[in-house]
Amino acid sequence: MPTLNLYGQQLGREITDWVKKSPPEKVTLHGHYCIVCPLSVDHAEDLYHEWQSIDDDRDWTYLSDSKPTTKEQCYQYLRELSADKEKLYFSVKDKETGSVHGFFCINKIDLHNGSFAISEINWAPPMKRTRLSTESLFLIINYFMETLKYRRCEWRTNCLNTPAISSAERIGFKQEGVLREKKVTKGHSEDIALFSITAIDWMETAEVLKAWLRKENFDERGRQIKKISDFRTQ
């Protein structure tokens, strides 16, 4: 709720106990179905085979990087990502099989204002549109919001990347606008759609996702019984 200063000017909601936030650590987070852990070069073995399970590059169209074409390139690619000092990369393991099915990045970490961004989401085919993908993002956002007490999570994606936009909206991100002509990727201009979840949003969104992720909401083949949207309307 806006407040007024001594000049009668409107200010944002007052926060009296704000302190600089702690930097995130390379934590391992356990869910019902997946484990989120720091990206390791060892994960190249699983990811290489999964990336090669389809014989084209359509899953890399909206990513800045290109798909490694050999196992050696895959190892080198993960070696470079895991050594990055500015970004944190996390892998997603299937808790049942122990196989790595994808990774994502945490960047734009702002300790003074308590914000961070999820980016470079790279799901291998077996992970797409599964409870593992949703749970992995739930685990990392909850770590920042509940454990570290951050107040804002961003998700940026190409405006033409309709699957990513649908995923962001499905989880509970709200679109804030479009950053026009923001990037040049692989020789093409990109307009970037900006989404966010705030700490206030997360209080309700987390409960919705927890309800959807309950084991009883899935049949024996792992198919959802109720959609996330069903829990929002209750």
Side-chain angles (χ1 to χ4, degrees), residues 6-226:
L6 57 85
Y7 307 110
Q9 297 167 312
Q10 285 196 345
L11 303 174
R13 177 172 57 89
E14 184 175 15
I15 303 177
T16 58
D17 57 351
W18 183 255
V19 294
K20 178 181 175 180
K21 297 306 167 188
S22 300
E25 299 178 356
K26 292 185 176 181
V27 294
T28 297
L29 306 169
H30 294 263
H32 293 309
Y33 317 108
C34 74
I35 300 171
V36 172
C37 58
L39 180 69
S40 167
V41 175
D42 296 338
H43 301 159
E45 196 70 29
D46 286 342
L47 290 173
Y48 173 72
H49 290 294
E50 298 212 353
W51 289 338
Q52 300 304 316
S53 66
I54 57 174
D55 56 7
D56 59 47
D57 298 342
R58 69 186 63 195
D59 290 342
W60 297 75
T61 298
Y62 299 111
L63 295 173
S64 299
D65 299 320
S66 299
K67 183 172 76 172
T69 57
T70 67
K71 188 178 290 188
E72 291 73 20
Q73 287 180 2
C74 187
Y75 271 91
Q76 181 59 27
Y77 178 49
L78 295 197
R79 190 174 294 113
E80 292 171 0
L81 295 185
S82 59
D84 195 305
K85 301 299 184 183
E86 301 297 322
K87 302 176 181 178
L88 292 176
Y89 286 89
F90 291 92
S91 293
V92 182
K93 286 185 179 181
D94 186 318
K95 199 166 187 178
E96 184 175 344
T97 66
S99 297
V100 176
H101 292 308
F103 69 82
F104 60 86
C105 172
I106 298 296
N107 64 350
K108 300 185 184 299
I109 299 168
D110 183 344
L111 305 181
H112 292 282
N113 295 298
S115 67
F116 68 102
I118 297 174
S119 64
E120 301 178 48
I121 296 174
N122 189 328
W123 298 155
M127 189 170 165
K128 292 182 178 181
R129 294 178 290 278
T130 69
R131 56 192 178 184
L132 273 71
S133 62
T134 302
E135 186 178 53
S136 65
L137 296 179
F138 166 80
L139 289 172
I140 198 66
I141 298 171
N142 203 57
Y143 166 65
F144 274 87
M145 296 293 195
E146 291 296 323
T147 303
L148 301 182
K149 303 301 180 184
Y150 279 57
R151 59 197 296 265
R152 175 180 171 84
C153 173
E154 292 185 357
W155 181 330
R156 302 183 184 204
T157 188
N158 190 312
C159 285
L160 302 177
N161 189 354
T162 52
I165 289 173
S166 295
S167 295
E169 293 174 338
R170 174 177 168 274
I171 289 173
F173 282 83
K174 298 178 181 178
Q175 186 166 357
E176 295 185 342
V178 174
L179 306 176
R180 299 183 301 154
E181 304 281 342
K182 178 65 175 175
K183 293 176 64 181
V184 176
T185 302
K186 298 175 181 174
H188 295 270
S189 177
E190 285 193 68
D191 291 345
I192 301 297
L194 173 61
F195 294 83
S196 73
I197 287 180
T198 68
I200 293 174
D201 300 331
W202 187 244
M203 289 189 289
E204 178 180 350
T205 300
E207 294 306 313
V208 168
L209 294 178
K210 286 177 186 177
W212 182 80
L213 286 166
R214 288 198 308 262
K215 292 184 177 180
E216 51 264 39
N217 189 46
F218 298 90
D219 64 19
E220 65 280 358
R221 296 177 60 186
R223 298 174 301 189
Q224 67 178 2
I225 296 171
K226 290 185 177 182

